[in-house]
């Protein structure tokens, strides 16, 4: 049963030039949404050519907003430009994100801070900027692209997990505040998806968990996510196995077991084996120094 119908509705998606955001934008366009797409200014050309393709394929209106959300005042500039050139947003999809991989105490602080800011403070600020109008008009929805990492310890990507757990908590709390307002906040919690994010420098190609989960395509995710969005699912983890592993098992297993299993599976197989052979045996990974 549909709770949200995006046809003719104005939808803003951050990080829409690539990966999950790009695949989600295609699904919204198929449903006749009017789109505002964000990216880094360096990807403005790519974003505009994707917008042209969406207009041609789906005959829908698509606007582009290449704004660096990590720049001082970036979220405020995006809000200002969208309000001026696009109008009132019905659905905000907070998707832009990044990751820093490596042992927490060794990994470059700048990379970790950027991860926290882009994955948590930026969506938080954008919600703060856009929700007022939504509540005043009595309709609207925020979809925060969180992760299964929000629900479990994420050794070697500790700040990434912390940022997504923060986003999860924020989403739940604001949703509870908004009850009865006509506005809500939902999260999408993807498993591993084959995007540029997993090719970030230092990210292991052979993460042990890939052997269990594989990597799904952004299109696989977006087809399922859009239906969950239409149904207004508060939190959507695609795939039964993912729901069992990341939601159920993490909650019912002893904490020590969850820590040990997470530590084992969130390492690259070849690097972990090399470290073991070298006698350190601590299973540390490549850092992002
Ligand atoms: N891939 C996974 O396995 C996975 C799993 C769970 C959750 N997620 C989440 O899904 C979301 C999308 O990630 P993805 O996997 O699709 O990664 P991706 O392919 O690297 O895409 C990230 C997007 O964010 C944009 N972006 C990066 N820095 C930005 C900045 N400073 N200002 C504005 N936009 C910026 C990028 O724009 P440019 O193209 O211009 O650089 C790109 O469009 C993230 O929140 C991520 O945490 C991913």
């Amino acid at each position: 049963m549909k709770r949200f119908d995006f046809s003719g509705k104005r939808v803003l998606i951050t990080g829409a030039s690539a990966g999950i955001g790009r695949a989600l934008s295609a699904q919204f366009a198929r449903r006749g949404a009017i789109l505002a797409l964000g990216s880094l200014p360096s990807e403005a050309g790519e974003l505009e050519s994707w917008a042209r393709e969406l207009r041609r394929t789906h005959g829908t209106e698509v606007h582009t907003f290449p704004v660096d959300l990590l720049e001082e005042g970036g979220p405020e500039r995006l809000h200002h430009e969208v309000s001026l050139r696009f109008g009132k947003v019905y659905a905000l999809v907070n998707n832009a994100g990044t990751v820093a991989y490596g042992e927490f105490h060794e990994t470059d602080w700048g990379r970790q801070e950027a991860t926290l800011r882009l994955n948590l403070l930026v969506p938080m600020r954008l919600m703060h900027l856009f929700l007022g109008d939504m509540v005043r008009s009595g309709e609207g929805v925020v979809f925060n692209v969180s992760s299964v990492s929000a629900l479990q310890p994420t050794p070697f990507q500790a700040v990434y997990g912390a940022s997504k757990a923060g986003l999860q908590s924020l989403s739940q709390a604001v949703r509870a505040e908004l009850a009865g307002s006509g506005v809500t906040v939902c999260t999408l919690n993807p498993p591993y998806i084959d995007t540029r994010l997993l090719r970030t420098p230092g990210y292991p190609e052979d993460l042990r968990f890939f052997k269990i989960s594989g990597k799904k395509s952004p299109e696989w995710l977006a087809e399922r996510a859009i239906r969950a969005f239409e149904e207004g699912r508060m939190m959507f983890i695609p795939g039964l196995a993912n729901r069992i592993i990341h939601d159920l098992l993490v909650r019912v297993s002893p904490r020590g077991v969850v820590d040990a299993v997470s530590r084992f599976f969130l390492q690259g197989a070849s690097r972990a084996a090399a470290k073991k052979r070298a006698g350190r045996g601590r299973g540390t990974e490549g850092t992002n120094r």
Side-chain angles (χ1 to χ4, degrees):
M1 197 184 67
K2 274 192 192 179
R3 178 173 168 198
F4 294 108
D5 183 347
F6 300 111
S7 175
K9 295 284 169 51
R10 296 189 175 263
V11 178
L12 166 62
I13 307 172
T14 65
S17 53
I20 293 170
R22 183 179 166 115
L24 286 175
S25 66
Q27 291 296 334
F28 277 107
R30 279 185 62 182
R31 277 148 176 88
I34 302 165
L35 294 175
L37 306 182
S39 78
L40 277 169
S42 54
E43 295 296 315
E46 177 59 36
L47 188 68
E48 190 45 52
S49 78
W50 175 236
R52 265 198 306 276
E53 193 174 325
L54 288 175
R55 286 181 205 117
R56 199 178 51 241
T57 313
H58 302 286
T60 190
E61 205 178 309
V62 187
H63 303 251
T64 59
F65 296 88
V67 172
D68 185 347
L69 292 168
L70 282 179
E71 248 182 35
E72 187 68 34
E76 290 78 8
R77 196 162 56 258
L78 179 65
H79 175 252
H80 178 73
E81 287 186 20
V82 165
S83 305
L84 214 65
R85 290 203 280 124
F86 183 70
K88 201 180 90 53
V89 167
Y90 175 78
L92 163 65
V93 184
N94 271 317
N95 167 75
T98 188
V99 68
Y101 190 93
E103 284 196 39
F104 171 72
H105 68 284
E106 290 184 337
T107 302
D108 175 68
W109 179 245
R111 299 256 345 258
Q112 303 205 70
E113 194 179 4
T115 299
L116 184 71
R117 285 178 54 214
L118 187 62
N119 295 6
L120 179 56
L121 290 181
V122 164
M124 191 184 281
R125 181 66 178 128
L126 289 174
M127 280 172 69
H128 194 254
L129 288 163
F130 283 98
L131 273 173
D133 263 356
M134 290 184 187
V135 172
R136 275 187 289 281
S137 64
E139 62 169 22
V141 55
V142 177
F143 298 110
N144 284 326
V145 181
S146 177
S147 168
V148 291
S149 299
L151 312 171
Q152 61 180 77
T154 56
F156 314 109
Q157 333 178 31
V159 171
Y160 182 80
S163 70
K164 295 298 185 181
L167 187 62
Q168 197 69 34
S169 170
L170 176 82
S171 306
Q172 287 175 242
V174 176
R175 180 173 63 237
E177 284 181 14
L178 291 172
S181 70
V183 181
T184 194
V185 183
C186 303
T187 65
L188 171 63
N189 297 65
Y192 286 107
I193 305 297
D194 194 6
T195 67
R196 223 173 36 192
L197 189 99
L198 300 183
R199 294 185 282 282
T200 302
Y203 207 98
E205 280 171 26
D206 58 353
L207 199 82
R208 283 171 171 149
F209 198 73
F210 293 159
K211 283 242 188 256
I212 299 180
S213 66
K215 286 185 245 173
K216 300 290 190 189
S217 72
E219 291 72 28
W220 174 92
L221 174 68
E223 277 168 25
R224 286 153 183 81
I226 195 76
R227 290 198 294 270
F229 289 175
E230 286 173 330
E231 290 163 11
R233 300 266 288 266
M234 293 180 194
M235 174 174 118
F236 178 60
I237 305 172
L240 180 62
N242 295 316
R243 287 194 279 279
I244 291 173
I245 294 171
H246 299 286
D247 196 14
L248 182 66
L249 288 182
V250 167
R251 275 192 282 133
V252 301
S253 305
R255 283 172 201 270
V257 172
V258 173
D259 282 7
V261 170
S262 306
R263 179 186 159 81
F264 180 83
F265 281 110
L266 294 185
Q267 295 181 77
S270 51
R271 290 292 295 271
K275 295 274 183 203
K276 201 168 176 186
R277 275 198 305 276
R280 280 183 64 194
R282 293 181 57 235
T284 55
E285 287 302 308
T287 68
N288 293 300
R289 285 190 155 182

